[in-house]
Amino acid sequence: MKKIVLLPLLLLLFVSFKADEGNGIEAGEKLVYAGSYNMSGLMTHIAQVTMSTENVNTSKNQYLHLSCELSTFSKWDKFFKIRDLYESYVTPGSLKPNLYKRSIDEGGYTKKEKYVFKGNQVTSTVQKRKRPETTRAFSIGANSVDAITLLYKLRSVDFSKMKSGQTKSFTIVFDEKEIPVTLKFMGTESIAAGNLGTKPCYKLSIGAKTNALRGKDKNLIWLTADAHKVPALMKFSIPVGTGELKLTSATGL
């Protein structure tokens, strides 16, 4: 069960396009997902994933706070408890990241990360379990952005201009390193999207240079084929099994 931690990572990996136009992401949005894992041949609902946006003002700047939270239900905690929180503070409009934070508690393993972005430089502070914090600085590419930020940028891409089979390659920053990601457009399908009803959706396949994901075209995401491009369904295949995230509620769009 320990590899189930890749469920939130998969969600964050479905992010690799540079936006074509304005992003359209505003404060007050909330997306809720049912997280399921294949246990003994049955897709079992074990967790909830919540994504939300809000405005945050400081004495000098205004930021858009993007967050993604994953929690297993209490009845599953005795088997494998997960309490994960991913956050990014970005400049409204451009979605340029300024601060990225990650706090995970997965089966007793804890890790906290903080990335401060300044141009192409990142200063990271990391603490694993109860060990001392470590700090390092590293360079990133001009288009490399933390994963949670890119998840939202993905939603501003005009997929109507793409042809089935067309791919694009980009990079995310995760665990203090850059990870190449390839996204393939696979056409459109109608998908149940929670309270939004059944919606035509863009179907995308994800590939990454990591051992976290397995199988060709087994890691998939469906985005509603409208102005919001809400992730309606995600399926993943990892070394120890398969799972999915289904949208149950979307508000504030």
Side-chain angles (χ1 to χ4, degrees):
M1 286 287 290
K2 68 178 182 179
K3 289 296 184 178
I4 203 169
V5 301
L6 295 172
L7 185 149
L9 173 58
L10 178 79
L11 175 65
L12 299 177
L13 280 175
F14 282 113
V15 293
S16 57
F17 280 103
K18 183 178 179 182
D20 292 336
E21 299 176 352
N23 61 79
I25 304 299
E26 297 181 355
E29 180 181 286
K30 183 177 181 180
L31 308 176
V32 180
Y33 296 86
S36 300
Y37 189 75
N38 192 329
M39 302 175 67
S40 301
L42 295 175
M43 199 63 71
T44 305
H45 186 193
I46 64 170
Q48 179 171 289
V49 175
T50 303
M51 299 179 62
S52 61
T53 63
E54 65 175 348
N55 287 325
V56 175
N57 296 315
T58 69
S59 59
K60 295 182 179 179
N61 296 295
Q62 181 183 68
Y63 300 103
L64 184 62
H65 177 214
L66 314 173
S67 71
C68 178
E69 183 175 4
L70 169 66
S71 297
T72 46
F73 298 121
S74 57
K75 69 178 181 179
W76 297 107
D77 284 349
K78 62 181 179 181
F79 296 102
F80 197 88
K81 180 180 179 180
I82 300 177
R83 298 291 187 273
D84 289 354
L85 177 62
Y86 297 80
E87 303 174 275
S88 188
Y89 294 81
V90 301
T91 302
S94 68
L95 295 188
K96 180 180 179 181
N98 297 273
L99 174 65
Y100 166 77
K101 299 170 70 177
R102 175 189 178 203
S103 176
I104 63 173
D105 185 344
E106 300 165 345
Y109 173 79
T110 60
K111 182 177 182 180
K112 293 184 178 181
E113 290 182 295
K114 182 175 72 173
Y115 295 174
V116 177
F117 290 81
K118 290 186 177 181
N120 288 1
Q121 296 293 313
V122 176
T123 300
S124 63
T125 303
V126 178
Q127 183 179 32
K128 298 179 181 179
R129 299 186 186 273
K130 295 183 179 180
R131 300 172 187 170
E133 286 186 346
T134 60
T135 300
R136 63 182 290 251
F138 57 96
S139 299
I140 60 174
N143 295 322
S144 296
V145 184
D146 71 87
I148 189 72
T149 297
L150 281 173
L151 176 58
Y152 283 90
K153 279 202 169 188
L154 172 65
R155 292 167 55 188
S156 65
V157 176
D158 186 357
F159 291 104
S160 66
K161 297 179 180 179
M162 296 187 68
K163 297 180 180 179
S164 182
Q166 184 177 346
T167 63
K168 290 182 180 292
S169 298
F170 298 90
T171 306
I172 63 171
V173 182
F174 197 81
D175 278 341
E176 297 183 290
K177 60 180 178 289
E178 294 180 300
I179 300 177
V181 176
T182 300
L183 199 65
K184 179 168 69 174
F185 181 70
M186 300 182 69
T188 60
E189 291 182 0
S190 292
I191 297 292
N195 64 314
L196 301 181
T198 299
K199 304 278 288 185
C201 293
Y202 299 118
K203 182 180 180 180
L204 308 168
S205 174
I206 191 76
K209 291 187 177 180
T210 170
N211 292 327
L213 307 180
R214 296 290 178 88
K216 182 179 180 182
D217 296 336
K218 298 294 185 181
N219 296 285
L220 303 165
I221 184 171
W222 287 261
L223 302 177
T224 58
D226 54 25
H228 299 295
K229 299 184 184 69
V230 174
L233 174 65
M234 287 158 272
K235 294 186 177 183
F236 61 91
S237 177
I238 58 179
V240 294
T242 59
E244 64 184 26
L245 294 172
K246 287 185 176 181
L247 180 69
T248 59
S249 175
T251 56
L253 299 175

